Amino acid sequence: MTIDATTLPSELLVTPQPLIGFCGLDTARQGVHKAIWEAFSGSLQRKAADRAAVQYKLLPPNYEFPVAKPKRASYEWYHPKGILKRNWMLKHLHVLPSVVVLFQDMEWNDLQWTEKQVQCAGTVQALKNALQERNTRLCLVLLQVVPPGEDLLAAERAASLTSACGITSKMLFILPHTEHLMGYTLRLESAFLDMAQSYYALMSKRIRNHRDQLSAAHTTLKIRHQFKLGFVAEMRQDFSTAQKHYFQAYTILVEIRSNDSNCVEFKTLAGFLNYKICRLMFKLKTPRDAITQFNIHVEKYKTRVGFKDLAFEHYAWLSTQNSVFAELFCEAIKNGLPALQTQHPGIYYHKSAEYVMKRRDAAQQAFAALLDSGEAAQATNNPNPLSLYTEFFGIRAVKTGDLVAEQQANVHLCEQERGYNHSAGIIALLSQAMAQFKIYKCLRFRKKLAIDMAEEYLQSGDHAKALTLYSLMLPDYRQEKWSTIFTDVLLKTLRCALLSASVADYIACSIEALSLRHQSEQKDRLLLLDNLWQVYQGMPPMPRTQLTEESMSLWTSALSSVKSPIPIDFDKVSDVVEMYATFEREQLSNDDVLQLQLIVRVLTDVPLRIRSFHVVLADAGNSQNNYKLEAQKYFSFPHLPQLRAQRGPVDQPKAFEKNMILEPGFYYQFFCSTEAQQFHENTQLRIVRVEALMGTDQIGALLTCSSNYTRQPFRHHTRSRDLDDNVTINPICYIAPTFHLVTQTLLGHGHANGMDGEPAAAPRMLVHEYYPVVINICNPFNVYLMNVGVHISVPGALRNSVFLTTDISPGRQKLHTQIQIDVGELSGQSSNTATYYIFSMAETEIKLQQRLSYTLDVDKGGEGSSGAVGARPSTAPNSSESTPDHDVKNIALSLAAISPVQIEYLDETRLRKSRVDTVTVRCYSDFKFCARFYTLNRKPLNQVYRGENFLLRANTEVLAVDEVEILDSFFICDHNLVQSNYSFKRKKYTNKYNNGDQLESVIVLRTNSTAQDWTTARDLDQRGKLEGNVTSSKFIRRPPKSHSEETSAPTPPAGISAYMSKSLVAKIPTTMIIINSNSAAMSSSLHAEDAKLAEDGAPTGPTMEGVRTTRVVYNKALEAVQGTGHCRGFIKGIYTLEENPSPAPVFGVFCIRWRRANAKEENESKFIISGLDIAEPPLNIYCTIEEKMFVKMPMAFKVVIKNPTTHVLHLIATLSISKADNFICSGHKQLDISIMAYGEKELVYNLYPLQVGWQELPVLSLEYNSKADPQKNDIHNALLDELVLRALPKRVFVLPPLKQQTTK
Amino acid sequence: MAFCVAVIGKDNAPMYLTTSDMEQELDLQYHVHAALDVVEEKCLIGKGAPESKELYLGLLYSTENHTIYGFVTNSRVKFIVVIDSSNVALRENEVRAIFRNLHILYTDAVCNPFYIPGESLTSKKFDRAVQKLMSGNA
């Protein structure tokens, strides 16, 4: 073969390195020698990067050095036959060393020194003889065991040795083979290298000398010399000089005129030189220059074809140039050169591949010409291709000018070319190029290369590989929408599929090729369709060119083993058939019939026969569950408007027949239907894809089209272009669940009237009321339901103010925030009711969550009965078949948010459904309550003094809209307080109060302890334990039978007002324990306390700050008071939601029992009354006056002064009558009193009223006796005055004399 | 003077392609298609400073016979012009002029109210003008 043109010789490709020859080393037998040799040349050493680039050669003992040619005296008549000899580079690279090193085992103190010296001298001499006429350096290395030292003997012997061998002392080296061999070798190496350098320098000089003798005619010699100089410079590692010389050689070469015969030589040499230049340029980091040089080079030689017959040789050369340059480029990139998208090795690989293609074309032409001339036969006689070559590069062993011989040689070359596998070469180059193009982000270019490669495979007959490549490229080009290119690729793919008998690919490509987008005639499409049906029927297709026998048999076997149906993804393969599916309705209940429409249109101009249409559905929540529906009936419409108007040519849809022909241009509307029952309730059905089966039973294509209706963001309105635009598509259908219970909620009607007849307008719910709610649960279906239950819960925001209960039996202890009412079983067409009560402490809107649930048996029989119409689980490969039962949980979970109905699957056969509704009740206020404290003088009270009586005035206003009966109202005071009635008149409630009616109670209270020593329940408990006489009886008090409170008429001026705020009741406590100490007060009480104290917060804001609402949270609705006596007790577990609870103690609970007019249920409203600070007074003054005074009837005015302190008090009491004429008074006018600690003193005056009407009483004033008690001063006296003012009445009403009195 | 002119839409689908040598059309299409690699790469780099974006992309790449130039409009419509490599007389300025004229022609064609943006250009007037431009008489 044309080795010159196609490949570069290997000696050119390596980097030239100085050659150093070693002799005298017997590596085979002597370990030391072997170690030394390995130290120099071994692979271990080569790793070190800093080692000099040297090539070592081990010379055998009788190595024959090439004989030097005799020097030419004159070059005048010398005309070489070629430019460069084939062996020159090899000789200098591998054969002729620059330095010959002779290794000898000689110790200085060797006993046989003299003999060895002689022997050594002989060897040296022999070498010298062999290297006659060469400048090769010779040096001697003595291998010694003893480390070198300053030794006189050594110096002397060395001198004698050098003289004996005839070498200078510089050429003698000692190599001690100790463990530091590596270091010694490195140093020796640099010494050798120096010698090699000087050798090559000398060699350059000699060549230069030759050159000087040349005349202008010696162009070829000049090139040779320049080349040699460059090569030697490269040996010396002098790259820039080398480049210069090569470049000179190149310029000279370019200038020579070439003809057909020397063209090959020139191109070969130019290729060599160019290679060297580019290589050095890359090495010297001037890649741009390299690329430019290469381009110029190719440009220059592109047109120099040489012999026309051997054009392939030229292309081979060009291809080689490119590929070699690409390799250089790659190498440079590996060494850190950055490449660009537009300038990278792939381009050159590609060009190289292109030239190989041209080479093949040229070779085929040449061979065709050869056949024509009938010379092919001759060529075969010449079997040895190498015989054509001379010792010069690029020169044939053909005498120039001998036309016959030349012709023969050309024929010979053609013959050789035939044997070359072009395709393999092209494919290899293309794959290299593809790799590069991929790196440099030229993906489209890479595709093009892949297409080229596929074409090459196709040409070389490897259809399967071509098909693979083509079909890989198809989607890419399809996506890019370059229809011309795509058509080309598609048709080639089709051809490959045909040739390789790949049924699936053939069918897929045929169908795709039916599209109008592919530029072909209708008759071509018809032909394609015919062939397609041939294949469907199990016959090989019959294209225009008949298939060969081989492919016929391939087809036969392929058709028998085809796996039908062949899936074809119509999302990708576009523009043949357009298919859309839509649900007829967006929502269905599960006993409806699910209907689907499928709209199909043929986009090409040939009719298609479709075997069947299917629509595949899936649950949105669980795409594993697939259902397949078959199209049954259809309409066809010639135009889109008719489709939209639903006006078909016939009224009844036609039944779908197998292999129906779809005419191009028509719109077909298919219908599928099934019963929705077989799907799970509460699921979203989604159309997964539409499938159309085409073909026969044996072989068919399954055209699948997924239904993701992504519309273009910018669509242009064209009236008939887009089916999608003009038809409403519902891709999702929701199967609404059936809830078998119907409920009706009646508010505000108790058992009495809630059930029967006409429910009147619901009464308004009031605060503190047990408000009944009746749920009427009805099952209108013919289904047997089990475990029907209602669960009602209070939302979190109202947790502490709204409660629920089902139990309003006396006691009413059980309040809950959520209740569950079990209704039990409901058979078909039956109903039941459930009642519960709401109790609210707050006036607000109450939204209760009402959750109905039941279980029922699942009927699984539906699926089988639907028959052919019914959906069957899809058998499509991508849907794993699973029975619904296994996945039901997933559905329930994923769809929980969609519907208010929740479906839970308890097991295979039972499911629970539940639905959450909201019941809204507005709660209105019942009473407006307000409580104030007064002194006995009816002055607003700021502070309570221990041991003094004061008044509580409780005002109640009815706010309820409906009529209310107040049964009772009473005050339960704290244990530390004592209450007594203001007057003994018993309070009577008239029944039925209306909105706006006002009520008032006045209660006298007294405390015996200050706020500091306020007794709490715990204190009492402990005390009781200590005393051991506490009988704690657990009982629940029964409702009182009588009233404990009486109204009192006086209305003191409003002072301190304590507004009640509705308090919040806390969590449900356990049953209450009321500790009842068996006190006399208790037993003697006429009224039993109300045990059912649902307490209410009525905290009074501190008066100074005006009205303030305090949210007090109590422990329990019913018994919050731990009773300790008649209407006394401890209020349990007060805690407030406020950060700083009011310091004032709670004085008690005001309780109103009431009920709606005509209703039975009693309710209680309770208001907490928070008290005032209790202070220790300096004195307690009690004043007693008769209840009624009559004129001229003497009466006693008794003042008791009590000393609550531990000190003795010294007082002066003075009585002064302001108006002399209203009373006659007797008693001490002024009195010094001394009261002992805790003692008391009674002052008694007799008063005789003289006048009727309001009369000022005599004023008693007290002051400290400053004589007896000098610490007391005026400030204390002022305090006393205030006390007196508060305690003593000022006026009294004197009645006229009684009748009998007057008569008397 | 120009060998082939192509207008390519923003999603890289061809909108118009004409060549003076119909035999080579497929090959040219491959070349123009491959040139989009370079266009995309160049546009990508241009993303950094959109203000200074030069519409003319210059030489995309050259093959043995063809030199391929590119131009991208602000709406990412690409113009590709293939010129015979042997035509050394053609200077870069002239190529720029071709693109400028092509841009004007394209704008005119697109301004047609009956033209649907994104569709291929079928206007005869446009075709005539481009043919004229290719032959160098524009």
Side-chain angles (χ1 to χ4, degrees):
Chain A
M1 242 306 292
T2 58
I3 44 172
D4 293 345
T6 51
T7 50
L8 297 185
S10 64
E11 59 265 31
L12 192 72
L13 302 179
V14 299
T15 318
Q17 287 172 337
L19 185 70
I20 293 170
F22 287 176
C23 58
L25 284 180
D26 188 358
T27 53
R29 267 173 286 179
Q30 295 215 31
V32 175
H33 289 187
K34 190 164 188 245
I36 290 166
W37 169 243
E38 275 174 0
F40 278 104
S41 68
S43 55
L44 287 169
Q45 275 62 45
R46 287 294 162 211
K47 270 189 236 162
D50 53 348
R51 286 288 296 259
V54 189
Q55 194 191 1
Y56 294 103
K57 188 179 172 80
L58 194 61
L59 304 178
N62 48 356
Y63 183 75
E64 283 188 28
F65 294 97
V67 185
K69 278 175 284 183
K71 264 197 177 172
R72 214 172 280 273
S74 157
Y75 283 88
E76 215 167 320
W77 302 104
Y78 176 64
H79 287 285
K81 288 198 187 97
I83 296 173
L84 194 58
K85 280 201 175 165
R86 240 171 237 286
N87 61 358
W88 187 83
M89 277 187 285
L90 279 173
K91 186 170 79 181
H92 286 279
L93 277 176
H94 302 302
V95 182
L96 190 62
S98 59
V99 179
V100 173
V101 184
L102 178 63
F103 288 88
Q104 287 289 314
D105 286 305
M106 284 171 88
E107 303 285 341
W108 295 127
N109 50 4
D110 201 324
L111 293 177
Q112 297 153 325
W113 171 260
T114 341
E115 290 152 43
K116 284 208 174 172
Q117 186 177 325
V118 171
Q119 194 189 339
C120 175
T123 322
V124 171
Q125 194 52 47
L127 278 172
K128 275 191 173 171
N129 290 342
L131 291 168
Q132 257 179 353
E133 298 288 314
R134 298 280 184 198
N135 293 320
T136 307
R137 301 305 171 96
L138 188 66
C139 63
L140 183 61
V141 175
L142 300 185
L143 302 177
Q144 295 186 337
V145 182
V146 186
E150 286 303 312
D151 194 350
L152 209 63
L153 178 72
E156 185 200 313
R157 289 200 164 171
S160 79
L161 182 65
T162 47
S163 63
C165 298
I167 54 172
T168 61
S169 59
K170 280 183 187 167
M171 296 303 197
L172 180 65
F173 299 95
I174 315 293
L175 176 59
H177 44 84
T178 59
E179 64 268 29
H180 302 298
L181 192 61
M182 190 66 196
Y184 290 120
T185 50
L186 275 175
R187 284 167 65 185
L188 270 182
E189 187 177 75
S190 67
F192 295 159
L193 203 62
D194 283 346
M195 281 188 265
Q197 289 279 6
S198 69
Y199 166 81
Y200 287 116
L202 201 64
M203 187 171 162
S204 321
K205 208 177 277 173
R206 280 176 61 181
I207 298 168
R208 224 174 275 137
N209 282 339
H210 292 170
R211 197 186 57 180
D212 292 344
Q213 296 173 359
L214 302 179
S215 62
H218 289 110
T219 39
T220 50
L221 273 184
K222 274 185 191 163
I223 295 164
R224 182 192 292 179
H225 286 157
Q226 288 294 348
F227 181 83
K228 283 182 176 178
L229 282 172
F231 196 78
V232 173
E234 244 188 308
M235 287 274 203
R236 297 206 319 264
Q237 314 288 312
D238 185 355
F239 298 120
S240 51
T241 317
Q243 189 201 330
K244 202 174 72 195
H245 287 299
Y246 285 134
F247 194 69
Q248 270 175 8
Y250 186 79
T251 31
I252 300 166
L253 183 66
V254 168
E255 281 162 12
I256 306 176
R257 277 205 16 237
S258 64
N259 54 33
D260 282 359
S261 49
N262 64 7
C263 186
V264 179
E265 185 187 12
F266 285 6
K267 279 191 293 192
T268 311
L269 257 290
F272 287 5
L273 290 168
N274 181 62
Y275 176 78
K276 282 289 186 189
I277 292 167
C278 291
R279 187 193 171 104
L280 289 171
M281 277 171 165
F282 277 126
K283 195 157 198 163
L284 296 171
K285 308 278 178 212
T286 50
R288 279 169 192 279
D289 294 345
I291 293 165
T292 323
Q293 160 65 26
F294 178 76
N295 284 336
I296 292 169
H297 168 68
V298 170
E299 209 50 44
K300 258 179 200 150
Y301 284 94
K302 206 159 67 176
T303 48
R304 301 194 188 180
V305 180
F307 287 115
K308 284 281 173 294
D309 292 346
L310 299 181
F312 60 84
E313 206 179 25
H314 176 65
Y315 291 123
W317 180 81
L318 277 170
S319 160
T320 311
Q321 294 301 307
N322 274 297
S323 68
V324 163
F325 183 74
E327 272 158 26
L328 270 183
F329 206 158
C330 280
E331 189 69 26
I333 287 164
K334 226 181 271 169
N335 291 330
L337 174 76
L340 295 174
Q341 191 187 34
T342 48
Q343 200 55 257
H344 59 88
I347 294 170
Y348 300 98
Y349 278 125
H350 178 223
K351 277 186 184 163
S352 178
E354 279 182 339
Y355 282 123
V356 178
M357 289 178 207
K358 284 189 181 169
R359 172 185 173 179
R360 179 183 53 198
D361 295 345
Q364 278 165 356
Q365 273 179 17
F367 191 69
L370 212 61
L371 283 179
D372 288 346
S373 58
E375 285 174 51
Q378 298 175 5
T380 45
N381 327 338
N382 202 344
N384 186 7
L386 288 175
S387 64
L388 275 171
Y389 292 95
T390 59
E391 55 174 348
F392 291 99
F393 279 117
I395 303 232
R396 291 201 195 108
V398 175
K399 234 167 134 190
T400 10
D402 185 350
L403 282 175
V404 180
E406 266 183 14
Q407 190 62 32
Q408 211 160 13
N410 288 357
V411 168
H412 189 86
L413 283 174
C414 283
E415 199 60 28
Q416 275 183 352
E417 182 70 12
R418 274 189 75 201
Y420 179 69
N421 187 355
H422 295 95
S423 292
I426 292 169
I427 287 161
L429 284 168
L430 281 176
S431 63
Q432 269 176 310
M434 274 167 75
Q436 294 292 333
F437 274 106
K438 193 182 177 186
I439 294 170
Y440 297 102
K441 292 180 193 160
C442 299
L443 298 178
R444 292 190 181 83
F445 217 109
R446 187 166 162 262
K447 275 173 220 157
K448 161 76 172 118
L449 296 181
I451 294 294
D452 288 347
M453 202 194 245
E455 195 146 350
E456 203 52 52
Y457 274 124
L458 184 60
Q459 285 207 9
S460 65
D462 195 344
H463 304 305
K465 268 191 183 157
L467 178 63
T468 317
L469 262 178
Y470 273 129
S471 48
L472 280 176
M473 289 303 121
L474 262 184
D476 287 343
Y477 281 110
R478 186 186 291 138
Q479 199 186 1
E480 293 273 274
K481 293 179 181 161
W482 283 68
S483 60
T484 323
I485 297 178
F486 182 63
T487 310
D488 179 52
V489 176
L490 182 68
L491 293 179
K492 278 180 181 153
T493 316
L494 187 61
R495 191 174 150 70
C496 285
L498 174 69
L499 290 173
S500 60
S502 165
V503 180
D505 286 307
Y506 185 81
I507 291 176
C509 290
S510 299
I511 289 176
E512 186 158 19
L514 290 177
S515 163
L516 286 180
R517 271 172 57 184
H518 305 300
Q519 296 144 355
S520 55
E521 303 284 308
Q522 192 188 6
K523 63 179 190 328
D524 295 335
R525 279 191 279 275
L526 285 171
L527 194 67
L528 272 171
L529 205 60
D530 283 348
N531 275 324
L532 189 61
W533 276 97
Q534 284 262 335
V535 176
Y536 283 149
Q537 278 151 8
M539 309 269 286
M542 299 295 286
R544 280 152 286 188
T545 52
Q546 291 288 329
L547 288 169
T548 58
E549 286 291 316
E550 192 190 350
S551 44
M552 282 299 273
S553 62
L554 264 176
W555 269 100
T556 324
S557 63
L559 283 170
S560 60
S561 62
V562 71
K563 217 177 117 195
S564 177
I566 294 145
I568 294 167
D569 192 348
F570 258 45
D571 294 334
K572 294 175 188 150
V573 180
S574 50
D575 297 339
V576 179
V577 177
E578 208 176 3
M579 300 192 280
Y580 291 101
T582 169
F583 287 102
E584 236 160 48
R585 277 155 61 188
E586 283 177 333
Q587 185 172 349
L588 285 174
S589 70
N590 77 339
D591 46 358
D592 283 343
V593 174
L594 179 79
Q595 283 202 316
L596 275 157
Q597 282 182 22
L598 174 69
I599 297 160
V600 179
R601 187 183 164 210
V602 177
L603 294 175
T604 183
D605 56 355
V606 288
L608 296 179
R609 267 191 289 174
I610 300 291
R611 196 168 174 80
S612 64
F613 284 104
H614 286 99
V615 181
V616 179
L617 306 177
D619 288 349
N622 178 15
S623 44
Q624 305 291 310
N625 278 359
N626 279 6
Y627 308 93
K628 208 169 184 178
L629 299 181
E630 190 171 357
Q632 298 289 321
K633 296 186 169 170
Y634 75 98
F635 281 126
S636 64
F637 304 97
H639 301 296
L640 190 59
Q642 289 178 351
L643 170 70
R644 293 172 70 192
Q646 291 291 321
R647 264 185 283 108
V650 282
D651 290 326
Q652 284 299 314
K654 288 179 266 188
F656 185 82
E657 289 162 25
K658 270 190 179 178
N659 288 337
M660 193 186 92
I661 291 176
L662 302 185
E663 291 295 335
F666 269 77
Y667 291 87
Y668 291 88
Q669 186 180 32
F670 295 89
F671 296 95
C672 324
S673 64
T674 185
E675 279 165 33
Q677 224 171 8
Q678 59 189 316
F679 302 106
H680 287 287
E681 292 176 81
N682 200 10
T683 54
Q684 266 186 351
L685 284 180
R686 203 160 40 83
I687 298 171
V688 178
R689 59 178 182 273
V690 180
E691 293 179 350
L693 189 70
M694 197 178 173
T696 59
D697 285 333
Q698 301 96 44
I699 299 168
L702 190 68
L703 318 178
T704 61
C705 173
S706 78
S707 54
N708 40 352
Y709 298 96
T710 45
R711 296 187 173 180
Q712 298 292 320
F714 295 105
R715 283 174 306 139
H716 317 293
H717 182 75
T718 47
R719 197 170 284 179
S720 60
R721 191 168 64 108
D722 217 348
L723 185 62
D724 183 19
D725 277 357
N726 288 287
V727 177
T728 325
I729 305 284
N730 303 324
I732 283 173
C733 178
Y734 176 62
I735 308 259
T738 318
F739 199 72
H740 292 93
L741 292 180
V742 179
T743 58
Q744 190 185 13
T745 307
L746 297 171
L747 296 175
H749 299 280
H751 296 291
N753 54 0
M755 294 289 291
D756 46 26
E758 306 289 300
R764 287 182 177 189
M765 177 180 172
L766 299 179
V767 177
H768 296 122
E769 185 187 5
Y770 283 87
Y771 187 72
V773 177
V774 179
I775 315 166
N776 196 358
I777 303 165
C778 175
N779 174 13
F781 293 85
N782 284 320
V783 186
Y784 180 72
L785 306 177
M786 293 165 292
N787 297 340
V788 180
V790 192
H791 180 267
I792 301 117
S793 64
V794 178
L798 295 173
R799 270 292 146 87
N800 281 325
S801 56
V802 176
F803 297 90
L804 304 167
T805 186
T806 49
D807 177 20
I808 51 161
S809 58
R812 293 187 179 177
Q813 298 176 41
K814 286 173 187 162
L815 290 182
H816 311 276
T817 48
Q818 45 190 6
I819 51 174
Q820 166 82 37
I821 304 169
D822 288 326
V823 179
E825 295 160 355
L826 272 183
S827 51
Q829 310 283 7
S830 68
S831 68
N832 207 336
T833 53
T835 308
Y836 62 93
Y837 297 86
I838 313 172
F839 181 82
S840 170
M841 324 257 3
E843 181 185 345
T844 178
E845 178 122 64
I846 301 165
K847 286 189 171 156
L848 299 175
Q849 278 206 328
Q850 176 180 302
R851 179 194 174 99
L852 272 110
S853 62
Y854 62 88
T855 55
L856 83 163
D857 288 333
V858 184
D859 183 19
K860 283 282 162 195
E863 273 178 42
S865 63
S866 52
V869 192
R872 13 183 188 99
S874 166
T875 50
N878 58 344
S879 64
S880 70
E881 242 185 285
S882 54
T883 56
D885 292 329
H886 296 191
D887 297 303
V888 287
K889 290 226 166 73
N890 303 343
I891 306 170
L893 283 176
S894 60
L895 291 173
I898 296 173
S899 150
V901 178
Q902 283 183 20
I903 302 175
E904 261 181 276
Y905 288 81
L906 301 173
D907 52 44
E908 300 265 318
T909 55
R910 291 199 308 157
L911 59 81
R912 174 156 64 215
K913 290 188 179 183
S914 52
R915 191 179 67 191
V916 177
D917 303 309
T918 308
V919 177
T920 307
V921 182
R922 170 84 212 176
C923 182
Y924 296 90
S925 184
D926 51 350
F927 300 105
K928 182 179 164 194
F929 180 81
C930 125
R932 293 163 222 180
F933 294 105
Y934 296 92
T935 63
L936 289 177
N937 277 346
R938 292 148 207 168
K939 293 279 190 314
L941 186 69
N942 287 324
Q943 198 171 32
V944 178
Y945 292 92
R946 186 166 72 93
E948 281 184 24
N949 289 334
F950 59 96
L951 298 179
L952 168 69
R953 185 178 162 208
N955 290 15
T956 313
E957 185 181 346
V958 179
L959 293 179
V961 187
D962 302 309
E963 277 195 336
V964 166
E965 291 174 29
I966 294 179
L967 304 173
D968 197 356
S969 80
F970 48 89
F971 179 70
I972 303 171
C973 68
D974 193 88
H975 177 74
N976 294 292
L977 295 169
V978 179
Q979 71 166 309
S980 53
N981 292 328
Y982 187 71
S983 69
F984 292 99
K985 215 167 71 193
R986 184 158 294 169
K987 160 113 189 198
K988 291 283 184 217
Y989 287 105
T990 58
N991 280 346
K992 301 197 180 164
Y993 289 84
N994 281 317
N995 187 7
D997 289 350
Q998 295 197 347
L999 303 165
E1000 187 175 66
S1001 305
V1002 177
I1003 299 150
V1004 180
L1005 294 172
R1006 194 176 72 199
T1007 174
N1008 287 323
S1009 52
T1010 57
Q1012 283 79 33
D1013 41 40
W1014 194 260
T1015 315
T1016 61
R1018 203 192 302 154
D1019 298 336
L1020 189 76
D1021 230 17
Q1022 280 167 356
R1023 208 188 307 151
K1025 273 177 196 156
L1026 283 173
E1027 291 167 6
N1029 60 357
V1030 174
T1031 54
S1032 56
S1033 62
K1034 299 179 187 177
F1035 69 95
I1036 295 162
R1037 310 280 176 87
R1038 298 181 45 225
K1041 293 280 182 288
S1042 57
H1043 310 264
S1044 65
E1045 295 299 313
E1046 290 165 31
T1047 49
S1048 55
T1051 52
I1056 311 154
S1057 66
Y1059 285 103
M1060 312 317 307
S1061 67
K1062 309 291 184 245
S1063 73
L1064 309 171
V1065 175
K1067 15 172 188 165
I1068 306 158
T1070 53
T1071 30
M1072 278 332 248
I1073 299 168
I1074 292 185
I1075 299 170
N1076 183 18
S1077 58
N1078 271 346
S1079 64
M1082 177 67 204
S1083 56
S1084 68
S1085 71
L1086 292 172
H1087 330 287
E1089 290 101 309
D1090 185 6
K1092 300 182 293 175
L1093 291 184
E1095 65 302 348
D1096 267 16
T1100 56
T1103 38
M1104 329 319 172
E1105 298 168 30
V1107 180
R1108 204 181 66 176
T1109 317
T1110 317
R1111 278 157 54 92
V1112 183
V1113 179
Y1114 284 93
N1115 200 5
K1116 155 80 175 162
L1118 294 181
E1119 294 97 3
V1121 174
Q1122 180 179 338
T1124 52
H1126 163 56
C1127 284
R1128 284 175 72 193
F1130 293 112
I1131 292 164
K1132 289 182 191 171
I1134 298 174
Y1135 56 96
T1136 70
L1137 293 179
E1138 284 195 358
E1139 301 261 322
N1140 302 314
S1142 161
V1146 171
F1147 278 6
V1149 176
F1150 193 81
C1151 179
I1152 303 168
R1153 285 177 58 237
W1154 56 275
R1155 67 181 176 213
R1156 284 176 183 278
N1158 307 323
K1160 270 191 251 166
E1161 283 86 20
E1162 292 178 2
N1163 302 301
E1164 284 182 358
S1165 300
K1166 279 129 202 151
F1167 306 96
I1168 286 273
I1169 294 164
S1170 89
L1172 302 170
D1173 190 28
I1174 302 162
E1176 178 74 52
L1179 275 181
N1180 283 334
I1181 303 172
Y1182 306 101
C1183 175
T1184 318
I1185 304 183
E1186 310 253 329
E1187 196 179 0
K1188 284 174 183 167
M1189 287 206 272
F1190 300 94
V1191 74
K1192 290 177 183 161
M1193 284 269 286
M1195 67 160 185
F1197 176 47
K1198 192 165 80 178
V1199 176
V1200 180
I1201 302 169
K1202 191 176 170 191
N1203 179 7
T1205 65
T1206 51
H1207 310 287
V1208 182
L1209 285 177
H1210 305 282
L1211 300 168
I1212 303 169
T1214 317
L1215 187 77
S1216 58
I1217 301 173
S1218 50
K1219 270 177 85 181
D1221 54 352
N1222 48 5
F1223 287 107
I1224 299 170
C1225 176
S1226 75
H1228 302 284
K1229 185 144 193 206
Q1230 183 171 358
L1231 191 63
D1232 285 6
I1233 321 162
S1234 292
I1235 312 171
M1236 308 311 247
Y1238 303 119
E1240 54 179 58
K1241 179 82 184 172
E1242 207 175 72
L1243 298 176
V1244 186
Y1245 299 95
N1246 281 317
L1247 295 181
Y1248 187 75
L1250 298 174
Q1251 291 178 353
V1252 177
W1254 281 108
Q1255 300 301 331
E1256 299 271 327
L1257 277 173
V1259 177
L1260 180 75
S1261 62
L1262 291 173
E1263 61 182 281
Y1264 286 106
N1265 190 344
S1266 52
K1267 281 174 204 158
D1269 193 2
Q1271 300 132 349
K1272 304 289 180 187
N1273 53 25
D1274 288 347
I1275 299 169
H1276 295 101
N1277 285 336
L1279 265 175
L1280 273 185
D1281 283 345
E1282 197 187 310
L1283 197 65
V1284 170
L1285 216 61
R1286 192 173 66 228
L1288 294 182
K1290 276 208 182 118
R1291 294 190 302 173
V1292 72
F1293 190 81
V1294 181
L1295 297 167
L1298 293 168
K1299 248 184 194 162
Q1300 58 195 106
Q1301 217 177 351
T1302 39
T1303 50
K1304 263 180 197 171
Chain B
M1 57 208 239
F3 196 61
C4 168
V5 169
V7 178
I8 290 149
K10 69 171 162 49
D11 47 355
N12 290 339
M15 290 162 71
Y16 177 82
L17 192 139
T18 183
T19 167
S20 52
D21 183 358
M22 289 314 280
E23 280 182 15
Q24 282 196 50
E25 195 193 342
L26 183 67
D27 200 34
L28 277 168
Q29 285 215 16
Y30 272 121
H31 276 116
V32 171
H33 183 241
L36 289 176
D37 280 335
V38 189
V39 173
E40 278 190 348
E41 188 75 12
K42 288 201 178 193
C43 290
L44 205 72
I45 294 160
K47 251 181 198 167
E51 293 306 314
S52 63
K53 206 179 88 179
E54 166 76 53
L55 299 181
Y56 176 63
L57 296 176
L59 177 68
L60 299 180
Y61 75 98
S62 57
T63 64
E64 202 93 337
N65 309 318
H66 311 302
T67 327
I68 299 175
Y69 291 90
F71 183 94
V72 60
T73 69
N74 287 319
S75 53
R76 304 232 155 229
V77 173
K78 292 123 194 157
F79 300 146
I80 307 273
V81 167
V82 184
I83 286 162
D84 204 325
S85 281
S86 55
N87 190 353
V88 258
L90 198 71
R91 277 180 311 196
E92 178 130 341
N93 266 351
E94 295 172 60
V95 180
R96 271 176 196 270
I98 293 174
F99 277 123
R100 244 193 323 274
N101 289 331
L102 188 60
H103 198 178
I104 292 165
L105 290 178
Y106 170 75
T107 320
D108 287 349
V110 166
C111 283
N112 180 355
F114 295 101
Y115 170 72
I116 297 162
E119 299 280 287
S120 56
L121 286 163
T122 48
S123 156
K124 279 179 193 151
K125 191 181 158 201
F126 179 73
D127 189 50
R128 272 201 302 275
V130 172
Q131 295 290 355
K132 232 166 121 187
L133 190 69
M134 267 172 49
S135 55
N137 307 328

